[in-house]
Amino acid sequence: MRSVPAVNKYTGWTRAELVELADRSLLALRPWATPGHARFDLPGPAGQSGPVVDGLEAFARSFLAVGFRLSAADSDPHDHASWYAHGLIAGTDRTGAAEWAGRAELGGRAELGARAERWPSLVDTPQARVEAAAIAIGLHESRRWIWDALPSSAQERIVEWLAGSVGAWYPESNWQWFHNVTHAFLRSVGGPHDQAKVDEYLEYLDSCYLDEGWYTDGRGGNVDWYAGFVMQLFSLWYCRMSGDHERQLRYAARLKAYVASAADLFGADGAPLYQGRSLVYRHAVVGALWTAAVFDANPLPPGRLRRTCLGVIKYFVDRGAYDEHGLLSQGWHDRFEPMRQSYSGPGSPYWASLGLAGLVLPESHPVWTEPEEPAPIDVGDHVHAIRPIGWIVSGTASDGIVRVTNHRAETPDGENQLYSRFAYSTVTAPVPLPSGAADQAVDNQVAVIDTHGRWSQRPHIKLQVINTHRAESQHVATFAQPSEPGPTLTCVSLVRGAVEVRAVRVEPGGSCVALVVSGYAVPRRPAPGARVALVSAVTALTGGGRTGHSVHLLASPFGAELEVPWCRFDSPAADQWYVVAVCLGGSTPTWPTFDADQAKVCWPDGSVDEL
């Protein structure tokens, strides 16, 4: 008897709804296609690689969704296979498309003029090397639908285009997985490939591994959702495509550890933690979670995994991620162009296709059939550390918010608001630094002000120690324009519920007239879909602190007129603790107190922490 997917009580979605979303998203792209289907020329500002590459990007990333959609399918009612097969031919054609017209294997007539749609080569165009990896996975997953139905001459031309990766340069970053996945597909179809370079890149990518499932993007690099976007998902898909079972066991163990902590970085409403780059990829953040189920590396009950993944996808769908044309826009909820980064074109958001990886699991898989189970934040508060990356994660059931306190980052080119702030959450976004330096408090700062009125930055954060709810780090206060070092600041966080006690000691060295500690930025004018009732507050727990608010006439994806609470200590003495409490939640908390004589924090419930 065929099993019936269980209804998701938190989202109301089943596998069928995810299939329907994939189909609707793919069909919405078709009116924007070039005649031979090789590109989607979508509206919006071009990325740094130009509109032709943007069109390839939209094709390749949506084709990844096609691969996931067709992998376990027993029908293709919208003829995605034939439609994208034409695009593959037009994109790799060097002679014209007339000879393909009327090919029965392709399900219809190919448009003429495809020669003008030929994709840029991987040799000449670095961004094409990224998109080739998406096409490689899409071809692998849809093999019986598309690759096996293509004429041999079309297969040869696709191989020829993908083989441009042989000898091409890939930087020391997640891009090396794009090389390896592309070569895994080439090897599987008897095409040219460079196993020696694959092995070299495997060694490098392994060197990016920290512990407990987390990677940096490059040795010593920053940590963000790319740990799941590429480092986890692509590593397992490389094994799936290459048949490397030994590595698969190793990578699956890492993925299992990653999911155990990353699954707690989502609010009760499905919102992911807003931190790091390329956030316009939205529900790509759950791609690694689905991958854990695909590779038997899921540490969670299947129903819990489904609740989290579908909750995230529905969060974005319900808040306008798909615009009036059914297209994914640049933004978080709906369109928000300031999120666009230099490499982002109108096709970039379709990396969200990674979030559809669960469709390779058949309807009979336990992730679809077992009863849904709540996430920890649905039933209670949780606080825990992710030690390798220096984060303390705090989720509170009363408001459904998840926050992280951040004690590790490396941004050598100066402070970066996406990595260097002291805390992040699922309901707020950081305030950009104006012209690279602050002239008033931005969110989640620990900064000193020097005698010239300059505010310090925090580009290098060195984790010292971390446990369940306490972390300690140091950073040298640096001043931009010109760059010069200031005093070393030691920072300690103690986290319970919605409150973080943040203690700072200024080491001797450098001159400063004030120390400022700030909280989360909350918009006075919330955007549609954003939380309306939010309390962001800071209070001094040691004497001499003066509190206030800064208002930035800027917007974030969560709203406009960003208000930041702060506490300022004038003429801070060296080697003395300055202690504040920071809150982000649905209501004003009962604040803890600080016993300066014993250096202890006394919490309202009677518990005590030593500083």
Side-chain angles (χ1 to χ4, degrees), residues 31-322:
W32 305 90
T34 50
H37 306 176
R39 296 195 314 270
F40 296 106
D41 292 340
L42 302 178
Q48 64 186 10
S49 298
V52 172
V53 175
D54 291 342
L56 163 62
E57 190 173 60
F59 176 93
R61 298 182 181 198
S62 63
F63 181 59
L64 182 63
V66 171
F68 293 148
R69 165 69 177 89
L70 296 180
S71 179
D74 55 13
S75 65
D76 181 16
H78 300 289
D79 202 17
H80 297 310
S82 175
W83 206 94
Y84 275 83
H86 283 303
L88 289 163
I89 290 170
T92 58
D93 180 44
R94 61 177 182 270
T95 62
E99 64 180 285
W100 305 112
R103 288 274 187 168
E105 307 98 302
L106 302 180
R109 178 176 175 81
E111 298 286 349
L112 300 180
R115 180 164 44 194
E117 297 183 39
R118 182 169 171 81
W119 296 328
S121 74
L122 276 62
V123 174
D124 301 326
T125 309
Q127 187 61 40
R129 299 166 203 168
V130 179
E131 311 319 318
I135 289 172
I137 293 179
L139 285 169
H140 178 82
E141 292 302 320
S142 64
R143 189 180 297 252
R144 63 192 173 94
W145 289 96
I146 297 177
W147 182 260
D148 292 346
L150 288 170
S152 60
S153 52
Q155 293 177 343
E156 290 167 4
R157 290 173 184 177
I158 293 170
V159 165
E160 178 187 26
W161 183 77
L162 292 172
S165 64
V166 177
W169 174 78
Y170 288 75
E172 292 186 336
S173 70
N174 69 89
W175 276 41
Q176 293 188 359
W177 275 125
F178 303 144
H179 171 278
N180 288 3
V181 163
T182 302
H183 283 237
F185 179 77
L186 286 168
R187 178 183 176 186
S188 75
V189 296
H193 60 282
D194 186 345
Q195 190 60 42
K197 183 60 72 173
V198 168
D199 293 340
E200 176 188 327
Y201 285 172
L202 288 172
E203 182 178 354
Y204 174 80
L205 291 161
D206 273 345
S207 76
C208 298
Y209 183 66
L210 296 171
D211 199 3
E212 298 180 22
W214 287 85
Y215 289 84
T216 62
D217 188 10
R219 294 185 186 127
N222 285 307
V223 171
D224 56 21
W225 284 114
Y226 264 86
F229 285 169
V230 180
M231 306 301 275
Q232 291 286 5
L233 185 148
F234 275 73
S235 63
L236 271 298
W237 243 274
Y238 165 78
C239 296
R240 181 176 172 98
M241 297 165 69
S242 67
D244 191 335
H245 301 296
E246 182 179 346
R247 284 188 182 275
Q248 181 171 322
L249 292 174
R250 186 195 317 162
Y251 293 155
R254 294 177 183 177
L255 176 57
K256 189 172 186 178
Y258 170 80
V259 171
S261 58
D264 289 333
L265 297 177
F266 304 97
D269 58 1
L273 182 72
Y274 193 98
Q275 180 272 344
R277 69 198 191 283
S278 298
L279 293 170
V280 297
Y281 301 163
R282 295 183 174 96
H283 44 274
V285 297
V286 299
L289 275 65
W290 290 125
T291 301
V294 174
F295 291 91
D296 195 26
N298 177 26
L300 311 175
R304 156 81 199 282
L305 186 82
R306 184 175 76 250
R307 177 265 181 274
T308 297
C309 292
L310 292 182
V312 172
I313 295 169
K314 191 170 187 291
Y315 171 83
F316 288 116
V317 171
D318 289 349
R319 287 163 178 78
Y322 293 89

Side-chain angles (χ1 to χ4, degrees), residues 494 501 579 592-595 599-603 607-611:
L494 294 161
V501 171
V579 186
T593 60
F594 180 65
D595 184 334
K600 291 183 178 180
V601 176
C602 305
W603 297 90
S607 58
V608 176
D609 283 314
E610 293 186 2
L611 189 61

Side-chain angles (χ1 to χ4, degrees), residues 383-584:
V383 177
H384 61 91
I386 307 180
R387 291 174 176 82
I389 61 176
W391 287 1
I392 297 177
V393 182
S394 174
T396 43
S398 61
D399 50 35
I401 298 172
V402 169
R403 315 150 194 81
V404 300
T405 302
N406 174 33
H407 284 267
R408 181 193 181 281
E410 290 288 336
T411 55
D413 296 328
E415 182 172 316
N416 184 319
Q417 67 264 17
L418 298 174
Y419 296 98
S420 305
R421 297 293 161 82
F422 212 98
Y424 298 91
S425 84
T426 57
V427 294
T428 60
V431 178
L433 280 174
S435 302
D439 55 7
Q440 61 176 328
V442 295
D443 60 290
N444 286 304
Q445 275 184 305
V446 174
V448 293
I449 305 173
D450 72 0
T451 54
H452 302 289
R454 297 179 302 175
W455 291 59
S456 70
Q457 297 187 11
R458 186 181 181 237
H460 305 282
I461 309 166
K462 303 298 184 184
L463 177 67
Q464 303 296 309
V465 65
I466 189 169
N467 59 33
T468 303
H469 69 285
R470 181 187 187 279
E472 180 177 338
S473 62
Q474 288 187 335
H475 71 275
V476 176
T478 60
F479 296 96
Q481 300 172 357
S483 177
E484 59 184 74
T488 297
L489 305 183
T490 298
C491 304
V492 174
S493 292
L494 294 161
V495 181
R496 292 184 183 270
V499 175
E500 174 203 344
V501 171
R502 198 176 292 174
V504 184
R505 188 174 68 234
V506 182
E507 307 291 349
S511 60
C512 57
V513 299
L515 167 69
V516 178
V517 181
S518 62
Y520 295 83
V522 171
R524 288 180 169 179
R525 296 191 291 116
R531 286 286 297 268
V532 175
L534 278 176
V535 174
S536 175
V538 174
T539 191
L541 300 185
T542 50
R546 174 168 58 90
T547 58
H549 292 81
S550 296
V551 178
H552 299 267
L553 300 181
L554 301 169
S556 82
F558 297 95
E561 296 180 16
L562 306 177
E563 183 174 311
V564 178
W566 48 260
C567 182
R568 173 175 172 143
F569 298 91
D570 290 319
S571 303
D575 295 327
Q576 177 178 326
W577 285 110
Y578 295 90
V579 186
V580 304
V582 178
C583 164
L584 175 70

